[in-house]
Amino acid sequence: RGRYQGIGIDEEQEFLMICYPHKMISPANQFFQTRKRNHEAIYTHKKTKAAELQMVDLLLEADKHFSMLMSTQLDDPSAFPVPSSFDDFCYERLPISRAWMHPNLFLRTDDTIVSLIENMAISSGNPLGRLRRLINDRRMHRMYKSVFEVELGELDDDLWGQSEDVIANELMLEQTLAQSMRGHKGSGDEGQLNGDQKQQVLTRADFIVDKREIHCGRKAQNPVAQMRFLKNKADKVSLHGSPDKLPLCGELETVPLDTPRSFLR
């Protein structure tokens, strides 16, 4: 049993919940610290995010050209996915992004859907535009590039409060100003650049702004403070009794962010 004071409730109330032995405090801390490190080093690594954002664009473009047949609920593999046209859209066809509306279809949208989309795009004679370019880039391992990354502190609330569109528009403005300043330097500098060296002009669609906040699970608070632990070994005896006789697990008064251990040889 654990005690919590809910929002809008004056007094604490008891709830049945999962509680842990007191010795699990340190492993619990290590679990959430490892989660944070994995997000920093793996899940939000610049190459991982580049591949993820490119895959999102690929699926968005594929949603414009391919759909799923409702007959796939009858396990018809040849009907997934199929070319679609939104001009004569009918109930039997469903956009891939709406597969979650039907569990049998949603279960089929695993990692193999990307290979299916690629094969359909190769065999399709229709002009697929950006989708074909994204598929070619993925096959050639030409992933999106991370331009720069800025770590914000406590004094950067104004910048953090800006939307992704506002930040991207500011980047576009800086590019325009930079091009304008280079244009005032004269034609002598421009003559030194051949066709391969000319700087590429980016558009708004070329920018992706990704804002993220990495923490241990509860932002500034320690998630272990939300857990409950058995205070002593005697509480284990009453774990097999009726619910009303279960031990009352206490909240940690002081929750360390990490619990180091030392050993003597």
Side-chain angles (χ1 to χ4, degrees):
R1 294 180 298 156
R3 298 184 65 88
Y4 277 104
Q5 182 174 350
I7 300 177
I9 302 177
D10 297 334
E11 298 181 357
E12 290 185 344
Q13 296 181 348
E14 291 187 5
F15 298 92
L16 293 178
M17 58 183 300
I18 299 176
C19 300
Y20 303 86
H22 195 271
K23 65 180 181 181
M24 295 301 296
I25 295 177
S26 179
N29 272 310
Q30 294 174 6
F31 170 81
F32 290 109
Q33 291 292 328
T34 301
R35 174 189 182 274
K36 181 175 182 292
R37 287 193 296 268
N38 287 343
H39 274 276
E40 293 174 340
I42 302 176
Y43 308 142
T44 61
H45 189 272
K46 61 180 181 180
K47 291 187 177 180
T48 306
K49 291 298 295 185
E52 175 188 329
L53 294 171
Q54 192 169 19
M55 182 60 64
V56 170
D57 284 348
L58 190 151
L59 292 175
L60 289 174
E61 290 296 321
D63 204 43
K64 302 176 182 177
H65 302 280
F66 302 111
S67 65
M68 307 171 71
L69 281 180
M70 299 296 293
S71 59
T72 53
Q73 293 181 326
L74 303 177
D75 296 330
D76 181 8
S78 62
F80 172 74
V82 296
S84 65
S85 174
F86 287 98
D87 294 334
D88 55 348
F89 185 85
C90 57
Y91 179 76
E92 287 74 15
R93 299 180 183 273
L94 192 73
I96 300 175
S97 60
R98 298 294 183 268
W100 58 270
M101 300 171 63
H102 300 273
N104 289 339
L105 293 179
F106 183 71
L107 290 176
R108 306 187 67 160
T109 55
D110 53 14
D111 293 341
T112 60
I113 188 175
V114 179
S115 299
L116 290 170
I117 291 174
E118 290 181 352
N119 294 334
M120 289 296 301
I122 292 175
S123 60
S124 175
N126 299 327
L128 302 179
R130 187 169 181 239
L131 174 60
R132 197 178 297 278
R133 293 195 298 271
L134 287 170
I135 291 176
N136 292 335
D137 288 343
R138 183 176 181 275
R139 286 177 172 263
M140 298 297 295
H141 297 279
R142 293 192 294 260
M143 300 299 175
Y144 289 170
K145 303 298 182 182
S146 176
V147 180
F148 62 89
E149 183 174 345
V150 179
E151 184 175 350
L152 304 180
E154 297 179 355
L155 302 179
D156 299 317
D157 290 341
D158 293 340
L159 181 57
W160 176 257
Q162 293 181 0
S163 65
E164 288 85 346
D165 289 334
V166 172
I167 297 175
N169 291 333
E170 290 184 356
L171 294 176
M172 283 295 302
L173 179 60
E174 291 183 4
Q175 177 189 231
T176 303
L177 293 176
Q179 293 172 349
S180 177
M181 293 181 64
R182 285 193 298 268
H184 289 298
K185 290 183 179 180
S187 60
D189 296 336
E190 295 178 358
Q192 298 177 0
L193 299 177
N194 56 37
D196 296 332
Q197 294 176 328
K198 289 183 179 180
Q199 187 171 5
Q200 182 179 5
V201 179
L202 301 177
T203 64
R204 170 62 183 87
D206 296 321
F207 288 97
I208 299 179
V209 179
D210 178 48
K211 297 197 310 182
R212 60 179 178 267
E213 182 179 4
I214 301 177
H215 48 78
C216 290
R218 296 191 66 208
K219 296 188 177 181
Q221 300 180 9
N222 193 327
V224 182
Q226 200 74 4
M227 302 172 65
R228 295 294 181 264
F229 299 89
L230 297 171
K231 295 182 179 180
N232 50 62
K233 296 182 178 180
D235 291 335
K236 295 183 180 180
V237 179
S238 57
L239 289 178
H240 303 285
S242 59
D244 58 330
K245 294 183 179 180
L246 290 175
L248 183 63
C249 298
E251 179 182 358
L252 296 179
E253 296 181 359
T254 302
V255 182
L257 286 176
D258 196 7
T259 307
R261 293 179 176 178
S262 60
F263 300 88
L264 295 178
R265 176 176 294 177

